Amino acid sequence: EKGGYPHFMLKEIYEQAQAMKDCMRGRLLEQEKRVVLSAVTHHRERLLNAKRVIIVSCGTSWHAGLIGKQMIETFAKVPVEVEYASEFRYRNPVIDARDVVIAISQSGETADTLAAISLAKERGAFIFGIVNAVGSSIARITDTGTYIHVGPEIGVASTKAFTGQLTVLTMLALSLGKEKQTVSTTEYEEIVAELAVIPDKMERMLVFDKQIAELAKCYTYARNFIYLGRGYNFPVALEGALKLKEISYIHAEGYPAAEMKHGPIALVDAEMPVVVIATHHQLYEKTLSNIQEVKARKGRILAIVTEGDEVVKKLADNVIEVPATLACLSPLLTVIPLQLLAYHVAVMKGLDVDQPRNLAKSVTVE
Ligand code: F6R
């Protein structure tokens, strides 16, 4: 069942390129240089008239939501809020019939997410689901949606569902932007073309598996980790930290890199590994100076950089190179070494990667 892999988690990390192709099948029309989501075609008016979008989800799905927000705001020019479903449902939020609520859930059974959309629905909002499990409770109560179609995810730590969610969010942001004419044809077509080649680039990331497994040995004794990223890669820092916490039981925190100097930098010393996503995108130069600040305090840096980067290579203790891509699509690649890092650290520690303590695959209770 694990297809020759020692754990479901590793299998699912390796499956991501194929999963992404499955997710885009019939939706990304490469020849025609466009994306088509039937949910957008069928509910065009309702979606285009949204005065704002609210994304509700939990955990990894919430991290995907944070990236989705940036894409929807950039391409469709509509304000987006991202809420923890558990907070939203109890906050008596202001919602009305012109709001569109997007629920993101792998399992489709998360109790808080289900309750959040029931509440939003009662108040007249239109509910759009981004779900993996076909026919699940969340899929059934939404007004429409787009399945991520990445196949069953068995490992408790979510991996291919995250990249599938990002793929759907990208296609959604592009479709809305195209309909609203808030994204230029050039940019739209550039992103569509790049989306089509991301699975090959994901595949190329897997050559780092061995190197990351080696690296993981140096990290098994760490008590704490910091993950830094900016722009589209800030939520990836949060996701990398969550992966490490849940399966290796090492405390980790993700921050937008610029927040370091507002407190967390006090934690940095020779014992503190710092993982920095420093690809050639938004705010690269500023991230570079954050790396220097960490080095000045003797922190150990693992940097995720764009292929061919020579600058960070000189500063960091270790680097993982990712193929060049557009900023908005970079999380699809940068998250992979972070998933592998968490996996290998946990394996080195002899932990049960697929069934970490205290966690369940779907959280059907509050
Ligand atoms: C993390 C993880 C959880 C889930 C969260 C939401 O690896 O798996 O944080 O992402 O419980 O679950 P879904 O997406 O099923 O609603």
Side-chain angles (χ1 to χ4, degrees), residues 57-63 104-111 113 130 138 153 155-159 161 165 239 242-243 246 359-363:
S57 44
C58 307
T60 289
S61 300
W62 185 78
H63 297 154
I104 308 177
S105 177
Q106 187 288 127
S107 62
E109 301 297 343
T110 301
T113 308
I130 298 180
I138 292 173
E153 190 181 66
V156 164
S158 188
T159 53
Q165 290 162 349
E239 175 60 7
L242 179 62
K243 290 287 89 96
E246 60 183 338
L359 294 173
K361 184 63 188 161
S362 56
V363 186

Side-chain angles (χ1 to χ4, degrees), residues 40-55:
V40 176
T41 315
H42 292 138
H43 301 277
R44 194 177 173 279
E45 296 309 311
R46 189 68 186 75
L47 293 170
L48 297 192
N49 289 329
K51 75 172 192 308
R52 77 174 163 167
V53 171
I54 305 168
I55 299 179

